[in-house]
Amino acid sequence: MTESLFTPAGEAATAGVTIANLAKSYGSHLVLDDISVTVRPGGVTALIGPSGSGKSTLLRCVNLLETPDAGTITVGSRTVHAGKKISERDLLALRRQVGMVFQSFNLFPNLSVLQNVVLPQRKVLGRGREEAEARALALLDRVGLKDKAHQHPQRCSGGQQQRIAIVRALALEPRAMLFDEPTSALDPEVGVEVLAVMRELAHDGMTMIVVTHEMQFARDVSDHLVVMADGKIIEEGDPAAIMAEPAQERTRRFLSAVLER
Amino acid sequence: MAEALSAVLIGLPLTLLVTAAAFAIGAVGGIPLVLGLRSRHTPVRLVFRFAVDLLRGVPTIVWLFLLYFGLAVGDYRLDSLGAAILGLGVVASAYLAEMYRGGFAVVPKGQREAAQALGLGRTTTFLRVLAPQALRTALPSVTTYLLMLLKDSSLASTVGVLEMTAQATAFSRQNVGTAGLTPFFVAAGVYIAISVPLAIAARVLDARLSRSL
């Protein structure tokens, strides 16, 4: 591998993510109950658990798509305290550090593939058109989709769309990436293409938090596994160790259910 | 027949002017209205909801009469053309605002979230992501409304605008024995000659956009 296009060079190297004592409730229902997770710079944390366990909500709190009620979120040297009013400036500053990939891709259908990747670079980083297009094309090439640049995203398969969504986030040189069930909407064979890109990204040293049901990916790629249920972390540690020998009965039940599918 | 046609055609420029001007007012005026209807602040939303329902709740012809006979600012009164354009325009702005709102309502929630996650500001998110998708969805109903407006422009005749329907009426009255219904058939033919090609053009545009999107 010659040059790492995926991870930013120099000052903007990947950052660690620290979630401390995070809490959130909808009405009287506690969805996140005093959650603390630390992801070292370049670390890959997989977040698993039954639906309704709060794992997606937790992920969405990291870039403040959900507003936590209490706790702190730190990305690199930037800390946001929940409960206080968060200014638009702090919000954008935090989101600039963090890229996110959604289960449903969420590419902008009114823009071409290239424009999807170029527009945020221009608006968020203030890059010129040429620079933004060059970066976009280089990244698209990297995931094997340079020839799709001038198509509309709907013309692309799900797996292609998700790789474009990853490229769109990476073009902004985030210091950490969040993945919210990135392969759940995809056929297994198509999901493989996406997982391959994520593997490469992890290998390049990107800090990643991945909500997933892909147990093999969690075991092979992540270095830390967090198991959630009912808004709490019930178990965390080495992925292979937990999968081989879960300490909690709840984890054991969840794992056997997922693996039997 | 030929005389009736040339009489009716005298009104064509005013018909087109009233239609185009009212549509322009409606298309532009619908934008602040839809922003108000989608405001995050409940009182703002309620005020705009009330305003839009009020505009739509009164028949267009009544609005025209109110504006033409009722609106006076000092010595200034609207002339018949001004009252017709303004009346049809404000009613159009209310209907078009609803169509825009319907367009925004079907933009998936994930679009806004993706824009937020990328760090795009509110204005960019609105102008570059949400509004184009909303407009795309609203386009067929917006063009349908334009066609309705072409026909509703005949209401301008009730406040004295000498557009096609007024010209047909006048011609009929002047030639009671000979013309009868002829000028109205002729007027109907001219309305059709404009609206059918417009409808076809709108469908072609829509089909083209769906293919590229």
Side-chain angles (χ1 to χ4, degrees), chain A residues 81-152:
Chain A
H81 297 267
K84 284 188 232 164
K85 172 99 181 120
I86 299 161
S87 74
E88 183 80 8
R89 229 183 89 237
D90 286 349
L91 191 67
L92 291 180
L94 180 82
R95 285 179 180 159
R96 243 179 97 152
Q97 311 271 313
V98 184
M100 183 160 189
V101 172
F102 299 86
Q103 180 178 347
S104 50
F105 331 134
N106 296 348
L107 293 174
F108 304 137
N110 55 311
L111 301 176
S112 70
V113 167
L114 184 65
Q115 281 306 314
N116 263 278
V117 186
V118 166
L119 177 74
Q121 293 185 66
R122 301 201 54 180
K123 295 292 176 181
V124 177
L125 301 183
R127 282 187 179 141
R129 180 177 297 279
E130 273 182 31
E131 187 190 358
E133 285 185 358
R135 168 100 178 136
L137 289 171
L139 282 169
L140 285 170
D141 194 25
R142 178 73 183 265
V143 299
L145 294 172
K146 195 176 177 184
D147 58 323
K148 299 283 178 192
H150 298 286
Q151 299 243 343
H152 274 278

Side-chain angles (χ1 to χ4, degrees), chain A residues 18-20 22 61-64 66-68 70-75 77-87 89-95:
Chain A
T18 306
I19 298 161
L22 212 65
C61 280
V62 176
N63 65 355
L64 298 173
E66 301 279 354
T67 315
T72 61
I73 297 152
T74 306
V75 180
S77 55
R78 239 168 237 287
T79 299
V80 171
H81 297 267
K84 284 188 232 164
K85 172 99 181 120
I86 299 161
S87 74
R89 229 183 89 237
D90 286 349
L91 191 67
L92 291 180
L94 180 82
R95 285 179 180 159

Side-chain angles (χ1 to χ4, degrees), chain A residues 60 63 65 92 95 98 102 106-110 119-120 123-124 152 154-155 168 172, chain B residues 109-111 113-122 124 128-129 132-133 211-213:
Chain A
R60 291 159 58 85
N63 65 355
L65 282 184
L92 291 180
R95 285 179 180 159
V98 184
F102 299 86
N106 296 348
L107 293 174
F108 304 137
N110 55 311
L119 177 74
K123 295 292 176 181
V124 177
H152 274 278
Q154 296 89 315
R155 293 286 186 82
R168 179 173 71 172
L172 297 175
Chain B
K109 202 172 87 213
Q111 292 288 308
E113 287 183 350
Q116 285 176 335
L118 289 164
L120 296 177
R122 278 217 192 95
T124 305
R128 302 297 302 272
V129 178
Q133 295 182 50
R211 227 177 311 135
S212 76
L213 281 194

Side-chain angles (χ1 to χ4, degrees), chain B residues 32-52:
Chain B
L33 290 182
V34 74
L35 291 178
L37 288 174
R38 292 174 41 79
S39 168
R40 281 173 297 161
H41 308 289
T42 311
V44 176
R45 224 163 42 232
L46 288 177
V47 167
F48 276 84
R49 168 54 47 215
F50 180 72
V52 167

Side-chain angles (χ1 to χ4, degrees), chain B:
Chain B
M1 179 77 174
E3 277 173 42
L5 178 62
S6 56
V8 164
L9 284 179
I10 293 171
L12 179 61
L14 273 177
T15 289
L16 295 178
L17 174 65
V18 169
T19 305
F23 184 71
I25 290 174
V28 175
I31 296 168
L33 290 182
V34 74
L35 291 178
L37 288 174
R38 292 174 41 79
S39 168
R40 281 173 297 161
H41 308 289
T42 311
V44 176
R45 224 163 42 232
L46 288 177
V47 167
F48 276 84
R49 168 54 47 215
F50 180 72
V52 167
D53 286 349
L54 186 80
L55 284 170
R56 295 191 303 168
V58 176
T60 309
I61 194 166
V62 176
W63 276 119
L64 296 192
F65 286 164
L66 285 173
L67 286 171
Y68 183 56
F69 297 113
L71 187 72
V73 183
D75 284 342
Y76 179 77
R77 284 190 48 193
L78 281 171
D79 62 7
S80 52
L81 183 62
I85 289 175
L86 188 64
L88 287 164
V90 292
V91 173
S93 69
Y95 279 100
L96 290 170
E98 281 295 340
M99 291 166 193
Y100 296 160
R101 195 186 57 77
F104 279 105
V106 299
V107 177
K109 202 172 87 213
Q111 292 288 308
R112 178 192 292 278
E113 287 183 350
Q116 285 176 335
L118 289 164
L120 296 177
R122 278 217 192 95
T123 315
T124 305
T125 302
F126 180 81
L127 291 178
R128 302 297 302 272
V129 178
L130 305 179
Q133 295 182 50
L135 260 186
R136 175 67 196 85
T137 311
L139 187 69
S141 33
V142 169
T143 54
T144 301
Y145 194 81
L146 174 62
L147 292 174
M148 277 172 53
L149 207 48
L150 170 70
K151 288 166 286 167
D152 280 357
S153 69
S154 59
L155 291 172
S157 66
T158 61
V159 292
V161 178
L162 297 175
E163 45 64 75
M164 288 204 301
T165 302
Q167 296 290 357
T169 309
F171 186 86
S172 175
R173 282 194 187 136
Q174 284 157 16
N175 303 280
V176 178
T178 51
L181 281 175
T182 311
F184 294 107
F185 278 116
V186 169
V190 179
Y191 282 115
I192 288 171
I194 306 166
S195 59
V196 169
L198 260 180
I200 292 171
R203 270 199 299 275
V204 169
L205 176 67
D206 193 54
R208 224 177 250 172
L209 284 175
S210 1
R211 227 177 311 135
S212 76
L213 281 194

